Amino acid sequence: MAGGSKDYIVLASDSGAIAVLEFNNKSRRFVTVQYHEFGRTGLRRLVAGQYVASDPRGRAVMLAGVERSKIVYIITRDSEARLMLASPLEANRSGSVCFDVVGVDVGYENPVFAAIESCYEDSEGSGKHLVYYELDLGLNHVVRKWSTAVGDTAHKLIALPGGNDGPSGVLVCLEGSIEYRHFTSTGEMAVYAVSIPRRSNLLNDTRGLMIVASAVHRMKNAFFILAQAESGDLYKITVDFAEDSVRRVGIKYFDTLATAASSICILKAGFLFAAAGGESGGSHQLYQFENLGDDDGACFSAEGLSYFQPHELSSLALVDEIEGACPMLKSQVLHVAVGEEAPQIYAACGTGARSSLKIMRHGAEVSELAVSELPATPRAVWTVSGGSDLIVVSFAGSTLALAMGEGDELAEADNALGLALDEATLAVCGVEGGGIVQVTPRAVRHVMSDGRVTEWVPPMGVISCAAVNIRQAVVALGRSGECAYFEMHAGVLREHAERLSVGSDVTCVALAPIPQSRLLAPLVAVGCEDQTVRVHALEPHRCLEALSMQAVADVAHAVAVMDHGLGDLAMYAGLRNGLLVRAQVDPVSGDVDDTRTRFLGARPVQLCPSGQSVVALSATPWLCHVQQGRVRSTPLSYDMLDYVAPLGDNLVCVAGASLRILSIDRLGASAALTCASIPLAFTPRGFCVHDVSRYFAVIEAEHGRWAPAHYAAKLEESGAEDEALPPEQFGLVRNAGGWASLVRVLSPFDGETVFLDELPAGHAALCLAPVRFGNDSYVAVGCAVGLSLRPRSCESASIRLYKWTTDGTGLELVHVTPLDDVPQSLMQFNGMLLVAAGRGLVLFDLGIRRLLKKAQSVVAPHLISSVHVHPTHPDSWLFVADVQESVLLVAFNHTARVFHVIVDDSLPRYITSMRALEDGFTVVAGDKFAYEIRR
């Protein structure tokens, strides 16, 4: 807003409301400043919110729907300078379809918004028009100021700076060209056009390019525009102007990004952020500008076509990347990985040459920095700061002290700190004054800074567990149900006159963190054999007084008390049955409330504090930390660990007989899943897994692109030569109307492709399904030749039947069976192969030279999109989804060998995916409007 230094975000969603957000630096969260409801919920074409545009001076916001609706909010401030939204003003026009809306920079004149519209009720025709809407701030209403016809392929607007920074107006992006349009103050219309340069295509691809994203960057007395085409190529657009008149519009090839972004943004610090999304998917990427491309080639401004040869990144350098899984085409939850307790998500993601099969695990990504083998299996590990950082490892009857040597290598440290290395260690910590307290089963040893050692030996029995900080120590005395408490006085560790008695055997103990304004921890938590966790005070005026007791579901194996900075203390209890209990503890009264439980695994839960976080170890390691003012529990995608200790910003861990140093790369909502990607050649259309070998069969198909091998053969046939570009960066070469497909078998363990069958040019692999005939396993692949999507037709269709090899690591083509229509879905039914082709269902059995047709019926009114077997009647009932008429329940008559519909939906729904639940009465389906339907 004018006169302010803070930016706001205007958000419109399918909730039918507008929200204005600001970023709170303290809480690191977005806060809602204004929230206004204006329409019904859902993705409706008549409800505004599909497009949002703001006035460059921050005075108004326009929301537009796909059809008819446009509303404008005037933005003001109240007496306390808080942002306010006035009542919405309507600028509706019936019978019009909107394609894009932007705010035009007209300085401080009345705000103007530009839109691309097409009026289908106009008697003069339904072509597209560029329309200016003006908000009269004096009269408080919106008028349709100006309109001019544009090309039918106009799809995007780019607003240019105005005032002293630019000529104002908009760039209209069409297929293959860009036009400058503006209605000047004198009533004249300015028009300048420039063609978008194309890649050199030796096979004469004549289709023009479409601009999908753009960003305007202002500099001192100049500006430029970066626009990205659907191919991923970036173009730099410059406008030469004098005052408010344009002299020339220039465009040149700038660089190529790996994927077409949904939006790009140029930061003042010299970075370019490309946000992935939509059908192209991909990853969010951050680039740094190396140069502005001024010395690299000519800037084209003529209306004729111009060509260029794409090159590797020269003006941009990739800095960071957040991997995404959009679009996710198919997914299954499978337990394939050996040695992992939790199943994994296997998803076919992406489009084009950047497609992949992603293996997703629930957990944050962990990097392994170092691994050292130990002479035996350790029980615990700690880090001690005493002149130099030490790593203390405890074994069954000994202790090992390690130090970081030259080259960040671990080496055995000398015994200068006085640790008892011939005994196991229960707890160790550096204390005030530079000494160390080591607790062994036999004694409490205080090693002072001058080398003197004092020992406290329990009067009877041994020490079972202990907790130590820089000024205090609590040790449990065998099975007596008592604990001895120690405090530092004048540099000497002294035992308290009284003992802490809990009336039950102590299994674990933990000290609360020391507050900043105090010298001692105020509380101690004690886990007992009677399935309780007790809280006692350690303050001088009520030392060892019992404050509260929390009953738990099993014996506590470990306990920890943490201060997450949220007011109350957090007490964690790891139980022997694998449960993690978290509760809030009042630091003054010691009251325990808000108890929460999570199951972590079959192993007893070990707790290891690390700064303000806690690492909980069971079958899977978990990190309990604070994010945006809330305590969150995040699993770590790593092997099973036995003990963890903090080492600076990293973690030192013991797993089996090895010592490992780990680093947690990223936390947060975006790090909830760890992905491993296996690259694919084309867009994946489906996959299945072999029951024994666990190898994956994947079908891939790409529309409108050449396969690299077919493109090379075509060039060789024509006698032309072309430089081969890596398709992962530059994409596949366009081939209007063509198809490229293949069938692949890969190993999910190492990502290696063990079988590859590249189908002939023009073949589209659309669906696959595993099927068993007798004792043999097969994979059926539905294909079409010369497939046209609109109108939907094909030259021929077929089922390619592959047989798994004996070891399940390859496929052998058995035969090809022709079909009458395009196959949409395949599945096994009654020991045979069920094919959904067009509107009908066809049942095939195995034959020697081809599949044998056993039944065929037309059941869908338009086109079948998917088929699923009924869970409780798998031999006779099917759920069939139609692309326009929702879900049908189909029964199979075994005697007559026909399918017939017994139940249908009364409402038409455009079903895209469907899944039948195990109860047999519920179907979950999604339609093309992003709705979820349950029946």
Side-chain angles (χ1 to χ4, degrees), residues 331-649:
S331 65
Q332 293 186 38
V333 180
L334 302 170
H335 202 165
V336 173
V338 179
E340 296 188 21
E341 185 172 289
Q344 307 86 42
I345 301 175
Y346 292 83
C349 304
T351 59
R354 286 179 62 87
S355 304
S356 62
L357 178 67
K358 293 188 180 296
I359 306 172
M360 294 182 279
R361 296 171 173 84
H362 184 207
E365 187 174 359
V366 176
S367 297
E368 193 176 81
L369 304 182
V371 178
S372 297
E373 295 299 324
L374 298 174
T377 301
R379 292 186 173 182
V381 62
W382 300 269
T383 54
V384 180
S385 297
S388 60
D389 290 337
L390 284 183
I391 299 176
V392 180
V393 184
S394 175
F395 299 93
S398 62
T399 298
L400 177 64
L402 303 174
M404 198 70 70
E406 296 182 359
D408 293 337
E409 294 183 357
L410 291 176
E412 187 171 351
D414 55 17
N415 198 22
L417 296 181
L419 295 175
L421 303 181
D422 57 347
E423 297 183 75
T425 300
L426 301 178
V428 61
C429 180
V431 296
E432 189 178 39
I436 290 180
V437 170
Q438 179 190 16
V439 181
T440 68
R442 183 186 60 84
V444 178
R445 306 178 72 254
H446 179 199
V447 183
M448 302 182 187
S449 58
D450 57 1
R452 292 179 299 157
V453 179
T454 62
E455 286 190 357
W456 178 89
V457 179
M460 57 181 180
V462 296
I463 299 173
S464 58
C465 57
V468 184
N469 62 22
I470 61 173
R471 297 188 185 95
Q472 297 163 285
V474 177
V475 298
L477 305 178
R479 303 182 62 85
S480 64
E482 292 185 343
C483 294
Y485 173 57
F486 300 83
E487 288 184 5
M488 292 289 295
H489 292 284
V492 179
L493 191 66
R494 300 182 184 275
E495 182 186 3
H496 194 270
E498 300 179 0
R499 296 277 176 87
L500 174 61
S501 178
V502 295
S504 179
D505 293 344
V506 177
T507 58
C508 53
V509 62
L511 289 166
I514 301 175
Q516 293 183 354
S517 59
R518 298 189 180 185
L519 298 177
L520 302 174
L523 304 173
V524 61
V526 181
C528 304
E529 281 283 355
D530 59 358
Q531 299 185 7
T532 60
V533 178
R534 305 166 188 259
V535 179
H536 291 256
L538 296 180
E539 297 170 329
H541 64 281
R542 53 173 186 173
C543 191
L544 305 183
E545 177 183 339
L547 299 181
S548 61
M549 180 179 65
Q550 175 67 45
V552 290
D554 201 349
V555 178
H557 179 73
V559 66
V561 182
M562 304 299 299
D563 183 4
H564 291 308
L566 304 178
D568 291 342
L569 298 175
M571 182 178 70
Y572 294 85
L575 309 185
R576 291 179 180 174
N577 59 4
L579 292 177
L580 174 65
V581 180
R582 176 169 62 88
Q584 292 184 358
V585 179
D586 189 287
V588 178
S589 65
D591 294 337
V592 179
D593 60 358
D594 191 17
T595 302
R596 305 187 183 191
T597 304
R598 179 189 289 270
F599 179 72
L600 302 188
R603 293 180 57 191
V605 178
Q606 180 63 258
L607 298 176
C608 306
S610 176
Q612 288 191 336
S613 305
V614 175
V615 182
L617 306 177
S618 184
T620 302
W622 288 69
L623 180 67
C624 304
H625 61 102
V626 176
Q627 182 187 5
Q628 295 182 345
R630 299 180 61 184
V631 179
R632 301 183 183 273
S633 299
T634 303
L636 303 181
S637 183
Y638 196 71
D639 301 337
M640 188 167 52
L641 302 175
D642 299 320
Y643 213 90
V644 172
L647 182 63
D649 295 333

Side-chain angles (χ1 to χ4, degrees), residues 158 213-217 224-228 264-266 272:
I158 304 174
S214 63
V216 180
H217 182 63
F224 68 87
I225 302 147
L226 286 184
Q228 188 184 30
I264 60 176
C265 177
I266 300 176
L272 173 70

Side-chain angles (χ1 to χ4, degrees), residues 143-347:
V143 296
R144 194 168 183 264
K145 182 179 180 180
W146 173 68
S147 173
T148 182
V150 294
D152 289 339
T153 59
H155 58 280
K156 183 176 178 57
L157 294 175
I158 304 174
L160 301 184
N164 298 327
D165 299 328
S168 187
V170 296
L171 295 179
V172 183
C173 301
L174 300 95
E175 182 179 328
S177 64
I178 295 176
E179 295 180 355
Y180 169 76
R181 300 268 182 145
H182 187 43
F183 182 73
T184 63
S185 57
T186 60
E188 299 178 356
M189 182 180 67
V191 180
Y192 295 91
V194 60
S195 298
I196 301 175
R198 300 182 184 179
R199 294 185 184 183
S200 300
N201 191 339
L202 301 180
L203 298 182
N204 297 324
D205 181 19
T206 59
R207 180 179 175 272
L209 293 171
M210 309 279 277
I211 299 297
V212 296
S214 63
V216 180
H217 182 63
R218 301 191 186 198
M219 301 179 293
K220 187 175 182 180
N221 301 325
F223 72 92
F224 68 87
I225 302 147
L226 286 184
Q228 188 184 30
E230 55 188 331
S231 60
D233 296 328
L234 277 176
Y235 298 94
K236 182 179 180 181
I237 304 173
T238 57
V239 180
D240 294 339
F241 65 96
E243 296 181 354
D244 59 348
S245 62
V246 173
R247 297 176 179 175
R248 176 178 176 270
V249 177
I251 183 171
K252 63 176 296 185
Y253 170 66
F254 186 74
D255 249 333
T256 298
L257 305 186
T259 57
S262 61
S263 177
I264 60 176
C265 177
I266 300 176
L267 308 180
K268 292 182 179 180
F271 293 92
L272 173 70
F273 178 71
E279 296 181 358
S280 59
S283 306
H284 302 301
Q285 296 175 329
L286 181 66
Y287 295 87
Q288 185 174 16
F289 282 94
E290 299 287 338
N291 56 73
L292 296 180
D294 296 329
D295 302 328
D296 185 15
C299 186
F300 303 102
S301 59
E303 295 184 2
L305 290 178
S306 55
Y307 297 90
F308 67 91
Q309 184 67 24
H311 52 69
E312 297 286 346
L313 290 176
S314 60
S315 300
L316 297 172
L318 183 62
V319 176
D320 195 9
E321 183 176 9
I322 300 177
E323 189 174 1
C326 179
M328 185 182 296
L329 305 175
K330 299 287 183 180
S331 65
Q332 293 186 38
V333 180
L334 302 170
H335 202 165
V336 173
V338 179
E340 296 188 21
E341 185 172 289
Q344 307 86 42
I345 301 175
Y346 292 83

Side-chain angles (χ1 to χ4, degrees), residues 881-911:
D882 186 82
V883 293
Q884 294 185 28
E885 298 297 335
S886 192
V887 179
L888 312 171
L889 181 59
V890 177
F892 179 63
N893 189 319
H894 293 266
T895 304
R897 295 274 182 171
V898 294
F899 296 92
H900 59 273
V901 179
I902 58 176
V903 178
D904 62 356
D905 195 350
S906 59
L907 295 177
R909 303 181 190 276
Y910 293 74
I911 302 299

